Amino acid sequence: MEANGLGPQGFPELKNDTFLRAAWGEETDYTPVWCMRQAGRYLPEFRETRAAQDFFSTCRSPEACCELTLQPLRRFPLDAAIIFSDILVVPQALGMEVTMVPGKGPSFPEPLREEQDLERLRDPEVVASELGYVFQAITLTRQRLAGRVPLIGFAGAPWTLMTYMVEGGGSSTMAQAKRWLYQRPQASHQLLRILTDALVPYLVGQVVAGAQALQLFESHAGHLGPQLFNKFALPYIRDVAKQVKARLREAGLAPVPMIIFAKDGHFALEELAQAGYEVVGLDWTVAPKKARRRSGSW
């Protein structure tokens, strides 16, 4: 610790590192806790803050994102904060219009329908520069946390982002996106590569801004069986981790633990455990003891 109480990046010194130590596989005095949807509608103050402006305007406001991130910590003794944002800011930064329709969820007025639609997407290298508001929110929140708990950054995994971009929103079947995998495998890989190339600098930028851990959400893993998952999701999940870690090293930045959460991806636990992440997240359908045995943790 430096004499002024600041850490090496100029942020307040971390007082509770239990979550980070657990993520690195170290012994802890207790099991650290943080929540999915930690900043969410169950909090009246969240609903009040969110009512002031539309969803993506909120996402683009560092001050609002910081406030929403901190609200749960004022009520509960949580061991980590996760920045308030959305996985769909990446398709937006690639040039796609995305709106949040009340009662329906995200909507893409012009989804990707044909291979040539990929030409509408911006160069993935510019994505990080389009998402400066996320980095500003992370830096502001890290300062205002005052070292209380670590701050988690996140992004959606390539396959999950692809489903929204092709389907035009949420879907119970992912029929359009899966049709791409079967009928346009080359274009599917091209899109997944574009998304990977966009995600890597975005996640590295979050660490530069102050994120102390990163989570990749493969929310739609369950729509793929083992064969499609291993072909169209897993290689890009692996590549994100590999490239992020390499770029952090090249930049002289300390590594951060990375978490992969593949919802309903129980069929790929063994593969995910070897994908280059420090933590594998489990959903409610998986028994933790069995998952640890399958992943080689015990």
Side-chain angles (χ1 to χ4, degrees):
M1 180 173 174
E2 297 178 8
N4 58 7
L6 299 179
Q9 289 175 277
F11 292 115
E13 196 74 18
L14 184 60
K15 299 165 189 171
N16 176 359
D17 66 351
T18 307
F19 166 80
L20 293 181
R21 285 191 289 116
W24 286 117
E26 299 173 12
E27 290 288 332
T28 58
D29 295 331
Y30 63 93
T31 302
V33 174
W34 70 278
C35 304
M36 300 282 274
R37 307 274 183 177
Q38 189 158 289
R41 288 185 290 267
Y42 70 99
L43 293 174
E45 57 267 39
F46 174 92
R47 297 194 297 272
E48 183 179 343
T49 304
R50 279 280 298 105
Q53 55 190 341
D54 72 74
F55 181 79
F56 284 112
S57 294
T58 302
C59 289
R60 287 188 286 271
S61 166
E63 189 69 41
C65 290
C66 176
E67 168 61 20
L68 291 167
T69 302
L70 295 177
Q71 284 176 352
L73 276 82
R74 298 186 187 123
R75 283 182 177 256
F76 309 114
L78 298 159
D79 292 291
I82 183 165
I83 194 67
F84 180 84
S85 186
D86 194 85
I87 65 172
L88 298 182
V89 298
V90 170
Q92 282 183 329
L94 283 167
M96 297 193 74
E97 181 184 355
V98 190
T99 59
M100 195 63 74
V101 181
K104 178 186 175 186
S107 176
F108 289 66
E110 295 184 48
L112 304 176
R113 288 292 184 230
E114 306 294 338
E115 288 186 39
Q116 55 264 37
D117 289 342
L118 298 179
E119 297 172 9
R120 292 168 21 205
L121 301 177
R122 292 188 183 126
D123 182 340
E125 287 298 320
V126 308
V127 165
S129 64
E130 293 285 326
L131 295 173
Y133 58 86
V134 178
F135 305 146
Q136 292 168 27
I138 288 172
T139 300
L140 179 63
T141 304
R142 180 81 188 273
Q143 291 286 1
R144 291 191 182 168
L145 276 169
R148 178 176 170 180
V149 294
L151 180 61
I152 306 169
F154 71 91
W159 158 247
T160 292
L161 295 179
M162 175 182 169
T163 63
Y164 283 106
M165 295 164 74
V166 172
E167 294 286 343
S171 168
S172 60
T173 63
M174 301 298 166
Q176 296 287 344
K178 290 178 80 171
R179 183 175 290 118
W180 267 60
L181 303 186
Y182 285 112
Q183 297 183 354
R184 303 184 179 100
Q186 188 172 350
S188 296
H189 281 299
Q190 183 182 351
L191 175 54
L192 292 163
R193 173 50 54 195
I194 289 170
L195 288 164
T196 300
D197 290 346
L199 287 168
V200 170
Y202 177 48
L203 288 167
V204 170
Q206 291 187 42
V207 176
V208 172
Q212 291 153 290
L214 296 171
Q215 175 151 316
L216 194 68
F217 286 87
E218 190 67 283
S219 306
H220 295 162
H223 290 278
L224 301 174
Q227 186 176 5
L228 288 178
F229 184 84
N230 288 340
K231 186 175 181 180
F232 291 102
L234 187 61
Y236 300 98
I237 288 172
R238 286 176 174 149
D239 207 25
V240 167
K242 181 180 178 181
Q243 288 199 55
V244 167
K245 289 168 189 279
R247 290 208 189 185
L248 290 176
R249 284 193 302 271
E250 290 165 7
L253 293 167
V256 300
M258 295 184 69
I259 308 163
I260 177 63
F261 176 62
K263 184 176 180 293
D264 296 323
H266 49 83
F267 53 83
L269 271 176
E270 292 86 349
E271 290 81 4
L272 290 168
Q274 301 298 320
Y277 294 76
E278 283 66 41
V279 180
V280 176
L282 306 177
D283 61 42
W284 65 280
T285 66
V286 181
K289 284 187 178 180
K290 291 182 181 178
R292 292 190 71 165
R293 282 196 295 269
R294 287 177 54 191
S295 64
S297 299
W298 275 357

